[in-house]
Amino acid sequence: MHSTGLGLVTPQQMHFAEPLALTSGAQLAGYTLAYETYGTLNADASNAVLVCHALNASHHVAGVWADGSRGWWDNLVGPGKPLDTNRFFVIGINNPGSCFGSTGPMHDNPATGQPYGADFPVVTVEDWVDAQARLVQRLGITQLAAVVGGSLGGMQALAWTLRHPQAVRHCVAVATAPNLSAQNIAFNEVARRAIVTDPDFHGGHYYAHGVVPRRGLTVARMVGHITYLSDDAMGAKFGRQLQDAICGELAFSTQDVEFQIESYLRHQGDKFSRYFDANTYLLITRALDYFDPARAHGGDLAAAFAVARAQKFLLVSFTTDWRFAPARSREIVKALVDNRIDVSYAEIDAPQGHDAFLLDDARYHGVMRAYFERVAAAQAGG
Amino acid sequence: MHSTGLGLVTPQQMHFAEPLALTSGAQLAGYTLAYETYGTLNADASNAVLVCHALNASHHVAGVWADGSRGWWDNLVGPGKPLDTNRFFVIGINNPGSCFGSTGPMHDNPATGQPYGADFPVVTVEDWVDAQARLVQRLGITQLAAVVGGSLGGMQALAWTLRHPQAVRHCVAVATAPNLSAQNIAFNEVARRAIVTDPDFHGGHYYAHGVVPRRGLTVARMVGHITYLSDDAMGAKFGRQLQDAICGELAFSTQDVEFQIESYLRHQGDKFSRYFDANTYLLITRALDYFDPARAHGGDLAAAFAVARAQKFLLVSFTTDWRFAPARSREIVKALVDNRIDVSYAEIDAPQGHDAFLLDDARYHGVMRAYFERVAAAQAGG
């Protein structure tokens, strides 16, 4: 099925004057959310699908901005695509604390008139969901046809069903986990230490110093990037190929690039450090660490899902994802089954590791298409 | 079998006036090696076993120094232990470029009268083996009963059989690989970037500035440490336990320690950064990257092992080691079998990941003991 995509899309902003009460007990003062919508909301506002973003993505889910930048899930969302904007009204929202348009650490703290910096309140997945719920409500939607997300976005999709059970008919959680493992937290902590110990971090108030902790952000991104790819995918793409592939000679240097994988990682880290905010990186990795719906139930995930009222869940995992391995998705499936909640689970045999959730894999997109067709059919029928 | 160990041991030093020709084409000028020996060399010098060390270890393999520090493989090496010093004369040598007594980047470059720093020549596994061979020869040993090592030490054991085929009767390579995967190199590169981009690195000449790139070294060690442990072992030991286990309350902070795994990793990184040299870290990770005996044979590992003349090899791997997974050891086994070389292979079901090679696991030590008993028996018979 061919599709030309959504074409040009335009981000919007919505301001919220009322503070947001946060999990930590703190409040986020009046704030703005950047968002985008694709497709048309139907008359009874029953065809809305919210797409939640992961660490370094944003409200720009699909279509193309005037500057040419394409939405991060454009291969999935658009007219005729698996999440079909001819049928659904799709919403992307940049989470507060992020750095792509919504209120974040680089914006002024109304209490001081200075950028929040490291004083931006610590936000959780549940806080983001609450912020999203306000925006969704403001759009005139009382119940989402579906909430969808991958990785950290999948955690938000799950949290919607627990936090706003009546407001979600379908939950689609891809390449996600019910919480981070010790190893997951460990990688996040390495990234945070790299940022925080960069002398240009200045305790999180680097904006005032006119600098950015780029060295730390670069290392943080490099280590993160390794965990997004499978060992096999990295081997297939780079293997032990030398950077100087023409001569094929070793340079015998500890500081120069010798292998292609080094060049690739340095480039990824460098690029990231030019557009991503360091305080946002700290906030988002912490939100990942904290997510753990079973915690309030003594570790019993099934007990946590007892409040869920969504008609059905779809869980998708990828065989080579070692960041959020299939076993983590199966924990969620089990908790849903224990509650006699309808759930489909697809384990996709894909080589790319965690990043597979962003890629255009035929089997994966086939599962997503089929699921959204059912959502649409239930829509038309009900 | 009970054993009280070797007790007090004393390191020795040996100076080599003749330069060492290196793989890179450069030379290492006159240099000193720190080493230790345990047990007694027999009359025909046929009972010597060389133990090669990995990244952050040294010649201090077994016994206890006057300051109380115990050898890194003391659970394996000693009277009555699997590598029995009542039978064998065991040698540990600190590799050149390291920071525990042998000539390294912190020592004066005779060409300048200043510390080598980043100008210390890039050394390879083969260079280390050549340096070790000189020392072994100087001790009056023309053939080692066995050469043994784990991880990077295992690579040295393998390299001995290729570089000095007649000088090795048995090769014992534990938790090792025939080369680093792209993912392995990637983790090394993250560590190196953390060190090199630390402003206190000063291009590798930090000694002259009276500083040490501790921030970078700390991050380097943290990321390395994650790869030494299995996901399961980390989960079992730390899980999602909070640092403040008494109150069990979240602190909601991006910079303070919240989970026990964070505290553990920070401690490991901090401790390491106080004793390990940053230039040595660069050199040793690079030696790991470069090791690839199949490279000179168009990637054909079996062709590389065609020169090996050792009587027998023992390869040992650990099921949960994801740094050097069992599949990597099996590649070596296959290359040996293809050459009709006698090889035993043990895959130990151990939960601890790569670090298992340093631990006192009964099945693992049972395999090692049995193998060295055979080496000793062949010794007595031949």
Side-chain angles (χ1 to χ4, degrees):
Chain A
M1 196 178 293
H2 279 276
S3 163
T4 52
L6 285 162
L8 198 69
V9 297
T10 309
Q12 304 174 64
Q13 293 210 321
M14 197 181 281
H15 184 73
F16 297 82
E18 198 192 335
L20 185 71
L22 304 174
T23 312
S24 66
Q27 286 196 331
L28 178 61
Y31 59 97
T32 297
L33 296 183
Y35 71 105
E36 287 182 20
T37 68
Y38 323 107
T40 308
L41 188 63
N42 61 9
D44 61 353
S46 64
N47 70 333
V49 173
L50 175 66
V51 176
C52 305
H53 71 77
L55 199 150
N56 68 322
S58 73
H59 52 295
H60 186 34
V61 175
V64 182
W65 278 351
D67 70 1
S69 62
R70 189 168 293 276
W72 57 272
W73 226 351
D74 190 64
N75 60 25
L76 189 88
V77 178
K81 294 187 181 179
L83 177 43
D84 188 350
T85 52
N86 290 331
R87 288 166 154 177
F88 293 107
F89 177 68
V90 177
I91 310 161
I93 305 174
N94 190 217
N95 288 323
S98 181
C99 51
F100 296 113
S102 292
T103 299
M106 68 298 301
H107 294 121
D108 281 353
N109 179 351
T112 64
Q114 301 292 315
Y116 277 106
D119 299 331
F120 195 88
V122 170
V123 281
T124 64
V125 166
E126 287 75 15
D127 296 334
W128 286 333
V129 163
D130 287 354
Q132 293 161 8
R134 280 190 179 178
L135 188 148
V136 164
Q137 202 163 25
R138 196 82 85 73
L139 292 176
I141 300 155
T142 53
Q143 190 180 55
L144 292 162
V147 57
V148 190
S151 189
L152 174 56
M155 292 175 173
Q156 293 162 58
L158 296 172
W160 261 92
T161 71
L162 306 179
R163 191 94 181 151
H164 304 280
Q166 309 292 348
V168 189
R169 283 204 299 283
H170 292 266
C171 173
V172 179
V174 183
T176 195
N179 60 34
L180 295 200
S181 69
Q183 190 189 68
N184 293 146
I185 297 173
F187 279 121
N188 279 349
E189 176 66 359
V190 169
R192 283 191 295 263
R193 294 313 287 172
I195 290 169
V196 163
T197 62
D198 183 329
D200 286 337
F201 182 65
H202 292 290
H205 294 284
Y206 45 88
Y207 314 107
H209 292 78
V211 292
V212 165
R214 285 198 52 199
R215 293 175 291 242
L217 257 179
T218 300
V219 169
R221 178 58 168 182
M222 288 172 73
V223 70
H225 205 88
I226 297 174
T227 70
Y228 304 149
L229 303 179
S230 71
D231 189 13
D232 281 354
M234 231 183 223
K237 191 167 178 185
F238 302 104
R240 296 182 49 81
Q241 292 168 70
L242 300 179
Q243 180 70 0
D244 180 8
I246 295 163
C247 295
E249 292 297 322
L250 297 173
F252 292 102
S253 164
T254 59
Q255 295 183 48
D256 296 339
V257 162
E258 187 80 294
F259 297 93
Q260 288 183 14
I261 180 65
E262 298 175 295
S263 170
Y264 172 77
L265 274 187
R266 285 193 194 186
H267 173 73
Q268 293 294 332
D270 184 70
K271 194 172 71 174
F272 186 75
S273 75
R274 291 177 189 277
Y275 74 80
F276 207 85
D277 179 69
N279 283 312
T280 290
Y281 203 91
L282 301 182
L283 287 167
I284 297 190
T285 54
R286 222 21 160 180
L288 274 159
D289 291 355
Y290 284 137
F291 181 69
D292 188 9
R295 187 171 180 272
H297 302 271
D300 183 347
L301 191 63
F305 275 102
V307 299
R309 292 293 171 268
Q311 284 172 22
K312 182 158 183 174
F313 287 68
L314 171 65
L315 273 288
V316 181
S317 69
F318 301 93
T319 47
T320 57
D321 183 353
W322 60 280
R323 183 183 174 87
F324 295 149
R328 305 309 318 271
S329 281
R330 289 195 293 263
E331 290 177 45
I332 301 164
V333 170
K334 182 179 184 310
L336 294 169
V337 169
D338 286 350
N339 282 291
R340 300 178 184 215
I341 296 171
D342 196 3
V343 53
S344 286
Y345 172 54
E347 192 171 313
I348 308 287
D349 186 5
Q352 303 95 344
H354 188 61
D355 262 2
F357 90 87
L358 293 167
L359 304 178
D360 188 1
D361 177 279
R363 287 158 301 184
Y364 164 41
H365 275 196
V367 166
M368 297 291 270
R369 181 181 293 279
Y371 193 85
F372 283 113
E373 277 170 2
R374 285 182 50 175
V375 174
Q379 181 78 16
Chain B
M1 198 179 294
H2 279 276
S3 163
T4 51
L6 285 162
L8 197 69
V9 298
T10 309
Q12 305 173 64
Q13 293 210 321
M14 198 181 281
H15 184 72
F16 297 83
E18 198 192 335
L20 185 72
L22 304 174
T23 313
S24 66
Q27 286 197 330
L28 179 61
Y31 60 98
T32 297
L33 296 183
Y35 71 104
E36 286 182 19
T37 67
Y38 323 107
T40 308
L41 188 63
N42 60 10
D44 60 353
S46 65
N47 70 333
V49 173
L50 174 67
V51 176
C52 305
H53 71 78
L55 199 150
N56 69 321
S58 74
H59 51 297
H60 186 33
V61 175
V64 182
W65 279 350
D67 70 0
S69 62
R70 188 168 293 275
W72 57 271
W73 225 351
D74 190 63
N75 59 26
L76 188 87
V77 179
K81 294 187 181 178
L83 178 42
D84 189 349
T85 53
N86 290 331
R87 289 167 154 177
F88 293 107
F89 176 67
V90 177
I91 309 160
I93 305 174
N94 189 216
N95 289 322
S98 181
C99 51
F100 296 113
S102 293
T103 300
M106 68 298 301
H107 295 120
D108 282 353
N109 180 352
T112 65
Q114 302 291 317
Y116 278 106
D119 300 330
F120 194 88
V122 170
V123 282
T124 63
V125 166
E126 288 75 15
D127 297 334
W128 287 333
V129 164
D130 287 353
Q132 293 161 7
R134 280 189 179 181
L135 188 147
V136 165
Q137 203 163 24
R138 200 74 90 76
L139 292 175
I141 300 155
T142 53
Q143 191 180 55
L144 292 162
V147 57
V148 190
S151 190
L152 174 57
M155 293 175 172
Q156 293 161 58
L158 296 173
W160 261 92
T161 70
L162 308 179
R163 191 94 180 151
H164 303 281
Q166 309 292 347
V168 190
R169 283 204 301 283
H170 292 266
C171 172
V172 179
V174 183
T176 195
N179 60 35
L180 294 200
S181 69
Q183 189 188 67
N184 293 146
I185 297 173
F187 279 121
N188 279 349
E189 176 66 0
V190 169
R192 283 191 295 263
R193 295 313 287 172
I195 290 169
V196 164
T197 63
D198 183 328
D200 286 337
F201 181 66
H202 293 291
H205 295 284
Y206 45 88
Y207 314 107
H209 292 78
V211 293
V212 166
R214 285 197 53 199
R215 294 173 291 240
L217 257 178
T218 301
V219 168
R221 178 59 167 180
M222 288 171 75
V223 70
H225 205 88
I226 296 174
T227 70
Y228 304 149
L229 303 179
S230 71
D231 189 12
D232 281 354
M234 230 183 223
K237 191 166 178 185
F238 302 103
R240 297 182 48 82
Q241 291 168 71
L242 299 179
Q243 180 69 359
D244 181 8
I246 295 162
C247 295
E249 291 297 323
L250 298 172
F252 293 102
S253 165
T254 59
Q255 294 184 48
D256 296 339
V257 163
E258 188 80 292
F259 297 92
Q260 288 183 14
I261 180 65
E262 297 175 296
S263 171
Y264 172 78
L265 273 187
R266 286 193 194 187
H267 173 73
Q268 292 295 331
D270 184 69
K271 194 172 71 173
F272 185 76
S273 74
R274 292 177 190 275
Y275 75 80
F276 207 86
D277 179 70
N279 283 313
T280 291
Y281 203 92
L282 302 182
L283 287 168
I284 296 189
T285 55
R286 221 24 159 178
L288 274 159
D289 291 356
Y290 284 137
F291 182 69
D292 189 8
R295 186 171 182 272
H297 302 271
D300 183 346
L301 190 63
F305 275 102
V307 299
R309 292 292 171 271
Q311 283 172 24
K312 181 157 183 174
F313 286 68
L314 171 65
L315 273 289
V316 181
S317 70
F318 301 93
T319 47
T320 57
D321 182 353
W322 60 280
R323 182 182 175 87
F324 295 149
R328 304 310 316 272
S329 282
R330 288 196 293 264
E331 290 177 44
I332 301 165
V333 171
K334 183 178 184 309
L336 294 169
V337 169
D338 286 350
N339 282 290
R340 302 180 182 211
I341 296 171
D342 195 4
V343 53
S344 286
Y345 171 55
E347 191 171 314
I348 308 287
D349 187 6
Q352 302 96 344
H354 187 63
D355 262 2
F357 90 87
L358 293 167
L359 304 178
D360 188 0
D361 177 278
R363 287 160 300 184
Y364 164 41
H365 274 196
V367 167
M368 297 291 269
R369 181 181 293 279
Y371 193 85
F372 284 113
E373 278 171 2
R374 285 181 51 175
V375 175
Q379 182 77 19

